Amino acid sequence: MVTVSRVVKDSPIAQQLMSFVENCSWYEVKEHIAEMLRKWEFTDWECMFAAVENGEIVGMASIMKTDYYPLPEIFPWISCIFVTESSRGRRISGELINSANAFAKELGFTKTYIPTEYTGLYEKYGYTYIRDIVNYGGDTDRLYAKEI
């Protein structure tokens, strides 16, 4: 059984998440996420979530004010969504997203956003394509939103 926990600074799960990130296969962004964790670059309500199964982290997600896009008017972003290859296909990313959305709703938000290059992934979790967006690297991604 998978449980999702909000990660708190200096907690045992924060250290476990750091190790998870440093050893994950998401090579494009893992150093960026590890640096966020090292410096604990989370302000106010921003945080990470960890999916844990049998004492091991099998996935993560974040909820942030900003992401890799020049769009300060859009937030909160659900980002850093990653599930280990061996745990995929079991809707763990959906559990992470649901936990982040529940937290956002507790904070008073009524909508969350997910950026992605993929089509067909986040629609199954209730997200609707809004438009294409250009990230700071100049690449085009898809912006999805969900009323919560």
Side-chain angles (χ1 to χ4, degrees):
M1 179 174 156
V2 174
T3 58
V4 176
S5 300
R6 189 165 63 95
V7 179
V8 178
K9 183 179 182 178
D10 297 326
S11 65
I13 198 165
Q15 291 302 319
Q16 192 178 2
L17 181 60
M18 174 60 83
S19 178
F20 174 80
V21 170
E22 290 174 337
N23 293 294
C24 80
S25 63
W26 196 7
Y27 300 109
E28 299 85 3
V29 298
K30 75 179 191 176
E31 186 51 41
H32 171 71
I33 297 169
E35 192 65 17
M36 281 189 341
L37 289 167
R38 275 186 213 103
K39 294 180 178 179
W40 202 259
E41 294 179 348
F42 305 99
T43 60
D44 300 324
W45 45 262
E46 295 177 305
C47 64
M48 296 287 296
F49 292 86
V52 179
E53 184 174 47
N54 298 322
E56 298 294 321
I57 294 178
V58 296
M60 67 180 171
S62 67
I63 185 165
M64 307 289 288
K65 292 178 187 176
T66 62
D67 205 333
Y68 191 57
Y69 306 88
L71 300 167
E73 71 282 5
I74 294 176
F75 63 91
W77 297 89
I78 296 179
S79 190
C80 304
I81 303 167
F82 177 81
V83 174
T84 59
E85 289 80 354
S86 61
S87 295
R88 291 181 185 165
R90 298 173 34 221
R91 295 199 169 236
I92 293 171
S93 56
E95 292 183 43
L96 287 158
I97 292 165
N98 288 342
S99 293
N101 278 331
F103 183 64
K105 192 169 187 170
E106 285 176 23
L107 295 169
F109 293 107
T110 58
K111 186 184 284 190
T112 58
Y113 300 89
I114 295 180
T116 185
E117 62 190 57
Y118 302 107
T119 300
L121 180 58
Y122 297 109
E123 291 91 336
K124 65 185 167 191
Y125 300 119
Y127 281 81
T128 302
Y129 170 77
I130 303 297
R131 68 178 195 258
D132 285 352
I133 55 176
V134 178
N135 64 36
Y136 285 119
D139 296 320
T140 300
D141 292 315
R142 299 171 59 82
L143 176 64
Y144 287 83
K146 179 180 181 176
E147 299 287 334
I148 54 173

